[in-house]
C-alpha cells in the first residue's frame, strides 16, 4: 500500500490532505466465529507458511495450544481455553489470537519513532521493521499483548492482515485456509451485518449470552469475534475493557508537545540573547589585573628571598 493510504503515523500528529480524504473510505475486517471453530489450527499454519515464519518447537505443557504465546515468529495463534459450563462439564473455547487492528491503536500512540507504525485508510495497522528501533513501547502499550520483539534483531513484529495479499485482491491466508467458515473477511459493514444475523441464530438456538466482541475502548477493531458468552471475554483470553492507558495518551498528547515547545522556547531565548546581548567578550585589561592580583596574593620564591 502506498503512502497515500496512510491516515495515521507514529511519532507525529500531522496528516496529509490526501489522507484526510481517504480516511472516509470503507474499512475492512476479519470476523471470527468461535461457535464454528474446531481448533484445527489451519489458520495458524497458513499464516506461518505465507509469511515464512518458523517459531521454535515448544514443549508439551498439558494443552494442545502450541506455541504458548504469540512471538516474532508466530503472528497467529489458536488458543485452547479450557472452561467448565453450567453442568460442570469441561469444554474448549477456541480463540483466533492475533493483531486486532484497533481503530485507536495504542501501539501507534505509544511509538515515538516517525512512521515506524502506520494505520492505513482500510484500517490495517502495520509495523515497519526497517524503521523500528526496538524500544518496546508498542509491546507494553498494546492492551491485547500482541506485538513481540524479536530476540535477534530486536524489532517488533505482528500480524499484517496479509497486506501483500490484499494488494492483489486476495483475502488473508488464515481466512483462505479456514474449512469450517469460522473466519470471514470483507468490509466492516458486511462483517457487522453477518455477525448480527449469526448472533440472532445463536439466540434462537438457546445461546442467549452470545454476542460480538468489538471493544469500543479502542474505537472498535478490524478483528471482530462472535463469542458464546460475551459477558465473559476473559475466558477466551481477551480483556473485558481494553483501552489505551492514560499515561500513554498523556505522553503523546501532552508531554511530547510540551517537550517540543520547551525546545523551541530554549532556542528562541538563545537566539534573542545572541541578538540583543551578543557574545560574552572578556577585556584583556581585566585579565592583566587578575594576574597581578594573583601574583600579589601568592608571592613567588624570589619574592620570599
Amino acid at each position: 500500500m502506498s503512502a497515500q493510504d496512510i491516515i495515521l503515523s507514529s511519532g507525529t500528529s500531522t496528516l496529509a490532505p490526501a489522507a484526510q480524504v481517504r480516511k472516509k473510505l470503507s474499512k475492512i475486517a476479519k470476523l471470527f466465529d468461535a461457535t464454528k471453530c474446531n481448533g484445527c489450527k489451519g489458520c495458524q499454519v497458513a499464516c506461518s507458511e505465507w509469511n515464512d515464519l518458523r517459531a521454535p518447537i515448544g514443549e508439551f505443557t498439558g494443552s494442545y495450544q502450541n506455541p504458548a504465546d504469540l512471538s516474532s515468529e508466530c503472528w497467529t495463534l489458536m488458543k485452547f481455553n479450557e472452561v467448565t459450563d453450567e453442568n460442570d462439564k469441561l469444554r474448549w473455547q477456541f480463540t483466533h489470537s492475533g493483531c486486532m487492528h484497533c481503530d485507536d491503536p495504542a501501539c501507534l500512540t505509544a511509538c515515538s519513532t516517525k512512521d515506524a507504525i502506520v494505520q492505513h485508510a482500510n484500517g490495517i495497522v502495520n509495523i515497519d521493521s526497517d524503521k523500528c528501533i526496538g524500544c518496546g513501547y508498542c509491546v507494553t502499550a498494546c492492551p491485547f499483548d500482541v506485538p513481540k520483539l524479536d530476540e535477534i534483531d530486536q524489532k517488533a513484529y505482528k500480524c499484517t492482515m496479509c497486506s501483500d495479499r490484499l494488494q492483489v485482491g486476495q483475502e488473508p491466508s488464515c481466512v483462505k485456509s479456514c474449512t469450517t467458515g469460522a473466519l470471514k473477511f470483507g468490509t466492516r459493514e458486511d462483517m457487522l451485518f453477518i455477525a448480527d444475523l449469526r448472533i440472532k441464530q445463536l439466540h434462537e438456538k438457546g445461546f442467549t449470552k452470545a454476542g460480538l466482541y468489538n471493544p469500543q475502548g479502542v474505537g472498535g477493531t478490524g478483528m471482530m469475534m462472535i463469542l458464546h458468552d460475551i459477558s465473559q471475554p476473559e475466558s477466551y483470553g481477551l480483556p473485558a475493557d481494553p483501552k489505551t492507558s492514560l499515561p500513554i495518551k498523556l505522553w503523546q498528547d501532552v508531554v511530547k508537545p510540551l517537550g517540543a515547545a520547551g525546545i523551541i522556547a530554549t532556542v528562541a531565548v538563545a537566539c534573542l540573547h545572541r541578538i540583543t546581548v551578543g557574545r560574552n567578550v572578556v577585556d584583556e585589561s581585566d585579565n592583566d589585573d587578575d594576574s597581578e592580583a594573583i601574583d600579589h596574593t601568592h608571592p613567588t620564591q624570589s619574592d620570599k628571598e
Side-chain angles (χ1 to χ4, degrees):
M1 288 171 283
S2 67
Q4 294 291 334
D5 293 318
I6 297 175
I7 60 173
L8 285 178
S9 174
S10 61
T12 179
S13 58
T14 59
L15 293 176
Q20 293 283 10
V21 176
R22 298 184 66 88
K23 191 174 182 179
K24 299 178 182 179
L25 299 180
S26 296
K27 295 184 178 181
I28 58 178
K30 286 196 302 184
L31 176 63
F32 171 68
D33 189 347
T35 65
K36 292 183 178 181
C37 180
N38 62 4
C40 71
K41 296 186 180 180
C43 55
Q44 181 175 325
V45 174
C47 175
S48 175
E49 288 295 321
W50 180 260
N51 295 290
D52 194 23
L53 304 173
R54 295 294 181 268
I57 298 176
E59 298 178 354
F60 182 70
T61 58
S63 172
Y64 284 103
Q65 178 177 318
N66 186 35
D69 197 5
L70 295 170
S71 68
S72 61
E73 292 290 331
C74 179
W75 299 352
T76 298
L77 175 64
M78 183 53 61
K79 289 186 176 181
F80 288 65
N81 307 289
E82 296 182 357
V83 297
T84 53
D85 57 18
E86 295 81 358
N87 300 321
D88 201 29
K89 291 184 178 180
L90 182 68
R91 64 181 177 87
W92 274 322
Q93 291 185 160
F94 302 114
T95 305
H96 177 81
S97 180
C99 181
M100 301 297 286
H101 296 278
C102 308
D103 225 30
D104 181 18
C107 58
L108 188 149
T109 303
C111 182
S112 58
T113 305
K114 181 174 173 55
D115 297 336
I117 302 179
V118 297
Q119 184 182 47
H120 295 276
N122 59 7
I124 293 179
V125 180
N126 274 339
I127 297 177
D128 188 341
S129 59
D130 291 335
K131 297 179 180 179
C132 175
I133 61 174
C135 65
Y137 290 166
C138 60
V139 177
T140 57
C142 178
F144 301 99
D145 192 28
V146 170
K148 301 295 182 181
L149 289 179
D150 185 80
E151 295 181 355
I152 298 176
D153 64 7
Q154 290 300 306
K155 305 283 188 179
Y157 295 92
K158 68 172 190 63
C159 162
T160 65
M161 192 81 86
C162 287
S163 298
D164 50 350
R165 292 175 61 91
L166 300 185
Q167 290 182 28
V168 294
Q170 296 182 338
E171 58 189 358
S173 59
C174 58
V175 179
K176 184 70 174 179
S177 66
C178 185
T179 59
T180 64
L183 280 172
K184 297 185 182 300
F185 175 78
T187 65
R188 291 196 184 183
E189 291 79 4
D190 289 345
M191 295 301 101
L192 289 171
F193 178 75
I194 293 173
D196 184 59
L197 292 179
R198 177 58 178 167
I199 292 170
K200 288 180 180 179
Q201 292 177 354
L202 292 171
H203 288 176
E204 293 174 356
K205 292 180 179 180
F207 296 94
T208 57
K209 294 182 179 181
L212 181 66
Y213 186 77
N214 183 29
Q216 297 305 306
V218 291
T221 57
M223 173 64 192
M224 299 177 284
M225 301 186 185
I226 299 175
L227 308 180
H228 297 83
D229 188 353
I230 192 61
S231 64
Q232 295 182 346
E234 297 93 339
S235 63
Y236 293 84
L238 300 168
D241 185 24
K243 61 182 65 175
T244 303
S245 65
L246 182 59
I248 294 175
K249 287 186 175 181
L250 291 176
W251 164 255
Q252 185 71 17
D253 300 335
V254 179
V255 177
K256 286 179 64 178
L258 285 178
I263 293 175
I264 295 174
T266 301
V267 174
V269 170
C271 293
L272 182 63
H273 179 274
R274 181 69 174 83
I275 295 173
T276 58
V277 179
R279 295 185 303 168
N280 291 331
V281 179
V282 179
D283 193 347
E284 294 183 358
S285 61
D286 294 338
N287 289 335
D288 295 339
D289 294 341
D290 292 341
S291 61
E292 291 178 359
I294 293 174
D295 293 342
H296 179 72
T297 55
H298 299 284
T300 61
Q301 183 65 28
S302 59
D303 293 337
K304 293 179 180 180
E305 293 175 355

